[in-house]
Amino acid sequence: MKKRLPVFFYKQRLPIKGCSLLLVFTQVALGSKALAQSDTTKKLNEVKVSSSAIPQIQSSAPAQSISTADFKRTASFNVADAIRNFAGVNISDYGGIGGLKTVSVRSLGADNTAVLYNGVQLNDAQNGQIDLSKFNLNNVEEIVLYNAQPTDILQTARAYASANVLAIKTIHPVLDERKPYNIIAGIKGGSFGLVNPYLQWQQRLSKYWSLVINSSVQEANGRYKYREAGDGSDTLATRKNGDVHVQQADGGLYWAKSDSDKFNLQFNFYNSKRGLPGPVVYYAAPTNQRLQNRDFFIQSGYLHKAVSGLQLLINAKYAHSYVRYLDTGVYNNSGLIDEHYRQNDFYLSGALAYNLTSDWKISYSSDADISNLQSDIYKYAFPTRTSLFNVIATDLNIGKWRLQANLLNTYIHDEVKSGPAAASRSAFTPAVIATYKPFTSQNLLLRAYYKSTFRNTTFAEQYYYAIVPRSLKPEYTDQYNVGAAYTKSLVGIFDYINISADAYYNHVKDKISYIPTRSPETPSVVNLGRVDIKGLDVIIKSGFKPFYNWKGLLSVAYTYQQALDVTNPTDLYYLEQIPYTPKHTLALNAGFTHKQFGIYYNEIFSSSRYQNSNNVPEYYLPKYSVSDASFVYSFLAGLKPVTASFEVNNLFNKNYAVISSYPMPGRSYRLTFQITI
Amino acid sequence: MKSLKLQHLFIACAVATTLASCHKDKKVVPDDKPTAERAGLYVLDQGNLGSPNSALTYYDYTSKSLTADIFQSANSKGLGNTANDLKIYGAKMYIVVDKSGTVEVVNPKTAKSIKQVLFQNADKSSREPRSIAFYKGNAYVTLYDNNVAVLDTATLTVSKYIPVGRNPEQLAVSNGKLYVVNGGGLSYPDVDKTVSIIDLTTLAVTKTLEVGVNPYAVSVDSYGDVFVHSYNLYPANPELTIIDSKTDVVKSKTDFAGGPFSINGDVAYYIASDGTVKTYDVKNLKALSSNFVTDGTTFTSAYAVVADTQTGEVFVTDAKDYKSNGLVFAFDKNGKKEYNLTTGINPGSVVFVNK
């Protein structure tokens, strides 16, 4: 599907040429890699509309989810939109329909969030970050954000290897003989010149076999107006070079004898061309950077749970991605920069779990991954990286306690065709998760976890224009969390109320930091930075029935984050908040459904932030609050269910930016018609 | 941080050139009078590459007040994206802004804009002005599109574009001639290695000299020597090429681990590859001190060094991590720190303004 972080390229790009020429410096465009990315919004949405209407929040480590039915509630278009209400989440949003969107959880940075696609990690060896704007929601059934890791210990080993996990699950067909197929056709259109038709075909093939195929096309010119004050003009300017042209197809073949005997084979194809609108340029025309992606992967999974208590999970994947970066406004010999990257990823995972008793389960998972990258850039290393992940885990229930623990070994070995390879490394990282239910009659859960993880360098950090070899260490994170979750069913107007609160302390050391120097002899990536993060996530969610035949849902997520740079007491910004990290973020979602109508309102508030490590007035970014609204109407056309929806983003046309110099769009609209056959 | 060796390279040059040009162009348009009393200093903060956050920091010697971005406060707008050079000539100060394609001409006493001179193509894309030098009422601006623009400092209009080598960087005047270093860095590793010599009466290139590979900085002394610093291609060593401006031949080309020069009399100050500030005797063409700083002051990422030819003080900027605020340190002529100030991001140039 989609993966790959364009951005990085261009971020990194500049520096390089620079090496010799530009006097300038500094980071670019993307800005973020730097010390800290964080930004935006957060909040909760626990919504998981399962059989009971009560969202399940009582996971052992905090988990937040959103599913199909709720995408409209938050007027979401892509995965990044859908999770922006989660607590503890900062979306770095570079604005517009084609703008890069990455997620940093609890101020740990986007590189420390793994994205799983149907249980298997989307691995981008080059950039490490996944651009969530590339995932539309047409084929998504549920998105879950796990702090630490997924709860079930029957997992791939890789799922244990990141500080946080964002799990995307696509729609699986659930059909019976009476209607062995389901076809959903829809079209979205609206602001930014968006036209986005999509089609989903689900087919029951036999008692055990079924099939689903999705395809979509997205065309948008990406233009929008924004108010530019920094150049003294204070007029409306138009953001350009944000056009996107995407063709996408994915599908799966499923065999399910039972819940404990399942097989799947999935493919995903993503092809896109888009502009990379850089930072706003005062007084002159902006840049001409373009990005082309062609990604393909095929993956397969098999799950078997024997009555003996032995459980087996096998996953395999092959992924290929092609990236072309083009900049036509360059004063070099050819007048342009044209770079090509081809990445291959081979992945195999086996996990075995065993129920020692009904209350005690143990598991062992082992993954092997081989990634390589080819590129035509100057003196490229052509690295091939072998990564081995091995983890043992235990999950024990004793009375009111549930104790989970695991120990992960990661082994990484690089080979290169030219220049020196990074040193091989092996490391053990543990996690311990404990929950306690003090009352059998009450849905109160107390929980705590500790998790240590490390993030190895990406190919970009290690080898991209590494004219001087870079000696880099992995980036380590430690997370400590204590919290409580409480659910109460009610009678009367309120159906239920869910409350959870988690306080955490994270520490990041040896942060891998991009240094925008100009000299070819200077490492442009270094281990520089320590961050102390103290935070609080509070989530409240309630369902209620204000009137007969009306159903209401209210959710609020509040995040407090103090993320201080503790790198070096002599730094000017020692003990100051890291860039793009608001102290307070509040996300609120409220909505009503009445018969076939639904009306929803979403608001996200972010307190002020600084765009730089220095918390001084020059770098101050004011607080903002952005509202969205959506209206949904469902009816039958003939006998076919039709849904029409109208979504408005930035309802009050606020002028704001999440990332400095990347203005966000004003009010925009989206119309969707969808018919199910 | 010591490992951040060569970054210094890039910087200081600008300044050196500034000072140098002052010496040479004597007369015509009056420069700072050596007897005048300093009002304060400006630091040009290049900002983050590509981002519209270049700034002009002003420090007032009398009131001891520091203004983080006086261009912004005086003009209610930002300098733009990636400012690269700053110089005062006569009664005007010139700020060269690369990605914005502008030269902001301001009153040096107030930082108020006099005119914004555009260096842009028809589609408004920047021609990437890089550095500026002056001679007899004209300003000369290198443009990354392989030209030097001739700007009349009275009318502030461009009278001519002179084609030079690839991606010209700094330029300096000696013996009535303009020395333009052609870096060619945007085609790395197929870089340039020449200096274009322009006769300032005919405004034509009279000679193109081969110098060290990938030159980026040039400075001149009072003996007619032109010093050209080159990055070279790693792992080859950086080079210093010395041109005799009387004969326009290369006198010497040697490995030289540092640069560019800020010259005051016979002493050139420069940032060495090891991140310290060293001195070089331009009269005898040999190294002087191994460390100009005598009181133990160190820098995270020494970025530019500028000598005040009037007071003998030496200013060293520190870019720190290249993406947050930097510092400028003032030293007396003996290398003892006097004070330091906070600047913006990537403080690349320092100029001094008289009362």
Side-chain angles (χ1 to χ4, degrees), chain A residues 20-26 230 280 282-283 285 331-333 378 513-514 518-519 522 573 612 614 619 661, chain B residues 10 47-49 78 81-82 84 100 120 124 126 130 144 166-167 169 185 187 190 214 231 303 323 325 346:
Chain A
S20 346
L21 11 158
L22 292 191
L23 255 200
V24 201
F25 290 25
T26 302
V280 166
Y282 292 169
Y283 317 120
Y331 296 117
N332 60 6
N333 293 346
Y378 176 61
S513 189
Y514 174 70
R518 285 298 123 195
S519 161
T522 301
Y573 44 77
N612 194 287
N614 302 109
Y619 306 125
S661 309
Chain B
F10 325 140
N48 299 117
L49 179 58
N81 304 51
T82 317
N84 195 55
S100 288
Q120 298 177 350
K124 286 203 73 185
S126 174
R130 298 291 295 166
Y144 251 0
R166 293 183 285 141
N167 308 140
E169 291 283 2
S187 298
D190 179 19
N214 196 3
Y231 288 126
Y303 193 58
K323 52 198 173 194
N325 282 348
N346 292 320

Side-chain angles (χ1 to χ4, degrees), chain B residues 316-337:
Chain B
V316 181
T317 68
D318 187 338
K320 309 295 279 186
D321 64 359
Y322 303 94
K323 52 198 173 194
S324 64
N325 282 348
L327 294 171
V328 58
F329 294 82
F331 292 92
D332 68 18
K333 59 175 73 117
N334 300 315
K336 277 197 63 166
K337 184 180 134 183

Side-chain angles (χ1 to χ4, degrees), chain A residues 8 11 32 71 89 159 164 201 212 228 248 263 337 340 342 359 382 393 409 478 480 496 540-541 552 577 617 640 662:
Chain A
F8 216 113
K11 155 192 334 187
S32 56
F71 297 149
V89 161
N164 303 281
W201 173 38
V212 58
E228 183 52 76
Q248 196 177 345
F263 165 83
I337 291 171
H340 306 77
R342 287 183 174 81
D359 290 328
F382 294 88
N409 175 261
D478 283 304
Y480 304 83
Y496 64 89
I540 300 171
K541 174 161 280 184
Q577 186 90 347
K640 311 299 183 200
Y662 288 81

Side-chain angles (χ1 to χ4, degrees), chain A residues 106-118:
Chain A
R106 294 182 168 183
S107 294
L108 293 172
D111 297 288
N112 282 305
T113 303
V115 180
L116 304 188
Y117 184 86
N118 290 329

Side-chain angles (χ1 to χ4, degrees), chain A residues 224-276:
Chain A
Y224 59 89
K225 301 263 194 223
Y226 66 98
R227 181 164 292 280
E228 183 52 76
D231 63 358
S233 63
D234 198 28
T235 52
L236 281 183
T238 301
R239 194 84 167 129
K240 292 176 189 151
N241 196 32
D243 55 305
V244 294
H245 315 273
V246 182
Q247 304 88 41
Q248 196 177 345
D250 65 86
L253 180 65
Y254 297 91
W255 175 84
K257 195 168 177 186
S258 69
D259 267 355
S260 42
D261 211 5
K262 298 194 284 194
F263 165 83
N264 70 69
L265 177 66
Q266 299 165 345
F267 79 95
N268 196 302
F269 174 75
Y270 174 88
N271 187 44
S272 82
K273 289 184 179 177
R274 56 174 158 167
L276 285 175

Side-chain angles (χ1 to χ4, degrees), chain A residues 349-606:
Chain A
S349 167
L352 211 53
Y354 184 65
N355 292 325
L356 288 171
T357 72
S358 59
D359 290 328
W360 190 9
K361 183 172 169 181
I362 55 171
S363 73
Y364 168 65
S365 308
S366 182
D367 293 8
D369 183 277
I370 297 175
S371 302
N372 64 43
L373 181 66
Q374 295 156 21
S375 175
D376 51 4
I377 63 172
Y378 176 61
K379 281 199 173 174
Y380 196 62
F382 294 88
T384 298
R385 173 169 293 176
T386 305
S387 310
L388 303 177
F389 303 88
N390 283 280
V391 63
I392 51 169
T394 169
D395 184 356
L396 176 65
N397 286 280
I398 315 175
K400 296 171 175 174
W401 290 89
R402 182 178 181 188
L403 301 171
Q404 289 178 289
N406 62 267
L407 183 65
L408 169 72
N409 175 261
T410 308
Y411 170 78
I412 291 163
H413 175 72
D414 281 9
E415 289 186 6
V416 295
K417 282 190 186 165
S418 72
S424 301
R425 59 183 93 251
S426 170
F428 287 91
T429 48
V432 181
I433 302 170
T435 61
Y436 178 66
K437 279 196 170 181
F439 314 109
T440 43
S441 58
Q442 299 251 23
N443 277 321
L444 174 66
L445 178 89
L446 305 178
R447 62 192 171 200
Y449 77 80
Y450 162 74
K451 184 171 185 181
S452 166
T453 50
F454 82 94
R455 175 177 88 75
N456 198 45
T457 55
T458 63
F459 282 165
E461 290 162 342
Q462 190 72 57
Y463 300 112
Y464 186 79
Y465 274 93
I467 292 169
V468 177
R470 295 171 189 151
S471 171
L472 293 169
K473 293 175 284 188
E475 173 179 317
Y476 275 89
T477 58
D478 283 304
Q479 302 183 72
Y480 304 83
N481 182 93
V482 293
Y486 178 69
T487 301
K488 188 163 179 61
S489 298
L490 300 163
V491 285
I493 290 183
F494 288 94
D495 269 346
Y496 64 89
I497 183 161
N498 270 340
I499 300 176
S500 75
D502 286 274
Y504 48 91
Y505 167 73
N506 299 337
H507 183 77
V508 184
K509 74 167 186 184
D510 288 337
K511 198 165 175 107
I512 299 170
S513 189
Y514 174 70
I515 298 279
T517 74
R518 285 298 123 195
S519 161
E521 307 197 15
T522 301
S524 56
V525 181
V526 297
N527 288 106
L528 178 67
R530 299 173 78 96
V531 187
D532 261 343
I533 301 150
K534 288 174 189 154
L536 176 69
D537 292 351
V538 179
I539 299 167
I540 300 171
K541 174 161 280 184
S542 177
F544 53 97
K545 290 181 218 151
F547 312 107
Y548 176 71
N549 248 346
W550 285 71
K551 278 168 65 177
L553 191 69
L554 174 69
S555 67
V556 179
Y558 166 77
T559 302
Y560 169 81
Q561 275 187 92
Q562 183 197 60
L564 304 183
D565 192 303
V566 291
T567 306
N568 184 337
T570 65
D571 286 335
L572 296 174
Y573 44 77
Y574 185 66
L575 290 182
E576 293 189 352
Q577 186 90 347
I578 61 175
Y580 293 116
T581 308
K583 281 206 167 139
H584 307 278
T585 313
L586 189 72
L588 177 148
N589 187 268
F592 294 101
T593 51
H594 175 61
K595 295 180 179 169
Q596 307 112 295
F597 293 94
I599 177 166
Y600 311 103
Y601 177 79
N602 198 72
E603 174 148 348
I604 284 169
F605 165 80
S606 164

